């Protein structure tokens, strides 16, 4: 079957995805964590950034960086503008927050959208299942570089060694303290995931949340030299001992929708 037809059929059956409904019942007593939100944006994507800001809780702290012109509607949350490498600018945004213990960090691209209820469910699931690094799964119509990020309708959460650095990532307080500042010697950040892949060996949990779906609109690496970034990726692969970035995309366990609880101890990988 043509891949476009498969995507269309999968999207058509999105309405019968029961995982969000069941998960919300299980999470009845799990509260939303306090969050800090960072995003680097281009003015052409200001509408999607505004939509993302609209799903955040009212007590969220926000820091934005404009790569080109500062948008008038986003001005109050934009701390600076100008070109730069992604990790460097993200580090600058994160450092702008006054430290407060217990706050989660959300790192977002400027071309991703997620519904408000889905955003809340994602973070509550991350808290409930003990995820230190996590991201929503990609809907069938979402653009992604890796198939591992595609949504599986039979699971709530898959844990493993892989969480992509975009388009939407959550860091628990302890992961935030470990992963930041981001390394700035990998160009636009290709290969950061290979460093994170070692975190499960140190007691951290990484996961993709299938009960929640996001849509990424943009194509990867259209605003910078893709070929130049392969040099940084090869550097990361050599440093972390991988022949291919896909070798880090390993699943360790999964919480299926027919299981009332995740099959791992929230405090320790099993």
């Amino acid at each position: 079957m043509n891949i476009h037809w498969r995507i269309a059929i999968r999207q058509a059956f999105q309405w019968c995805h029961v995982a969000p409904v069941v998960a919300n019942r299980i999470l009845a007593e799990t509260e939303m964590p306090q969050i800090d939100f960072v995003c680097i944006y281009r003015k052409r994507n200001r509408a999607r950034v505004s939509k993302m800001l609209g799903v955040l809780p009212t007590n969220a702290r926000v820091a934005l960086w404009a790569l080109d012109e500062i948008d008038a509607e986003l001005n109050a949350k934009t701390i600076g503008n100008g070109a730069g490498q992604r990790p460097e600018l993200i580090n600058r945004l994160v450092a702008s927050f006054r430290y407060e213990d217990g706050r989660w960090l959300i790192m977002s691209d400027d071309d991703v959208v997620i519904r408000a209820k889905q955003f809340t469910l994602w973070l509550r699931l991350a808290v409930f299942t003990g995820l230190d690094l996590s991201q929503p799964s990609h809907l069938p119509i979402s653009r992604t570089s890796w198939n591992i990020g595609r949504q599986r309708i039979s699971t709530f959460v898959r844990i493993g060694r892989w969480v992509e650095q975009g388009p939407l990532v959550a860091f628990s307080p302890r992961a935030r303290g470990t992963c930041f500042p981001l390394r700035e010697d990998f160009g636009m950040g290709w290969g950061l995931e290979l460093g994170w892949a070692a975190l499960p060996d140190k007691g951290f949990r990484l996961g993709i949340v299938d009960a929640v779906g996001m849509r990424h609109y943009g194509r990867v690496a259209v605003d910078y030299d893709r070929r130049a970034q392969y040099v940084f990726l090869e550097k990361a692969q050599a440093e972390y001992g991988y022949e291919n970035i896909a070798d880090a995309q390993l699943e360790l366990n999964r919480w299926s929708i027919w299981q009332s609880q995740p099959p791992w101890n929230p405090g320790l990988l099993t």
Side-chain angles (χ1 to χ4, degrees):
M1 183 184 294
N2 183 282
I3 187 170
H4 298 294
W5 276 107
R6 291 203 302 268
I7 291 173
I9 292 171
R10 175 65 186 84
Q11 185 65 22
F13 280 90
Q14 191 67 27
W15 65 271
C16 63
H17 186 205
V18 300
V21 177
V22 178
N24 269 310
R25 293 173 182 170
I26 295 173
L27 301 178
E29 298 181 2
T30 303
E31 296 182 357
M32 176 79 171
Q34 292 188 319
I35 65 170
D36 293 338
F37 177 91
V38 297
C39 176
I40 303 166
Y41 72 90
R42 294 150 292 191
K43 191 172 182 180
R44 70 172 184 265
N45 286 330
R46 62 190 181 277
R48 290 183 181 132
V49 176
S50 294
K51 186 174 290 188
M52 273 300 306
L53 297 185
V55 310
L56 303 180
T58 56
N59 63 352
R61 302 190 302 187
V62 176
L64 308 177
W65 186 275
L67 285 174
D68 41 30
E69 184 180 350
I70 296 177
D71 179 68
E73 293 184 8
L74 303 176
N75 179 61
K77 304 292 186 182
T78 303
I79 69 167
N81 72 305
Q85 300 279 27
R86 185 169 184 265
E88 173 194 0
L89 297 178
I90 289 291
N91 285 339
R92 192 175 303 180
L93 292 174
V94 174
S96 72
F97 294 119
R98 182 183 71 257
Y99 176 77
E100 289 185 17
D101 188 38
R103 297 188 73 93
W104 288 55
L105 178 70
I106 309 300
M107 187 170 73
S108 176
D109 288 358
D110 66 348
D111 53 3
V112 60
V113 296
I114 186 172
R115 293 179 178 177
K117 290 183 178 179
Q118 290 272 288
F119 182 84
T120 302
L121 178 59
W122 165 37
L123 294 179
R124 291 169 65 224
L125 272 168
V127 171
F128 183 79
T129 57
L131 296 180
D132 291 297
L133 269 73
S134 68
Q135 61 191 166
S137 59
H138 283 269
L139 293 169
I141 54 177
S142 178
R143 295 186 183 276
T144 180
S145 301
W146 309 104
N147 188 56
I148 189 173
R150 291 283 182 200
Q151 189 175 65
R152 276 62 162 168
I153 62 173
S154 62
T155 59
F156 295 117
V157 174
R158 286 171 287 141
I159 61 172
R161 295 188 178 275
W162 179 261
V163 168
E164 193 174 2
Q165 60 161 308
L168 201 52
V169 187
F171 299 82
S172 72
R174 71 168 186 154
R176 178 176 180 170
T178 298
C179 298
F180 284 86
L182 299 176
R183 291 186 58 169
E184 298 181 4
D185 57 338
F186 287 161
M188 293 298 288
W190 288 25
L192 287 174
E193 300 93 341
L194 299 180
W196 298 344
L199 290 176
D201 298 327
K202 302 175 182 178
F204 291 79
R205 180 171 288 115
L206 282 62
I208 297 171
V209 179
D210 285 316
V212 173
M214 62 179 168
R215 182 174 182 183
H216 183 221
Y217 284 86
R219 294 183 181 274
V220 177
V222 296
D223 292 300
Y224 54 87
D225 188 347
R226 185 185 185 99
R227 290 174 298 179
Q229 298 310 309
Y230 279 111
V231 175
F232 295 108
L233 178 57
E234 290 172 357
K235 172 185 175 181
Q237 289 175 178
E239 179 173 337
Y240 292 117
Y242 289 94
E243 292 187 6
N244 190 297
I245 194 169
D247 295 337
Q249 297 172 0
L250 300 178
E251 180 181 318
L252 301 177
N253 210 335
R254 63 173 54 191
W255 179 17
S256 301
I257 59 174
W258 52 83
Q259 297 173 301
S260 60
Q261 296 288 321
W264 57 81
N265 186 316
L268 180 68
L269 283 174
T270 58

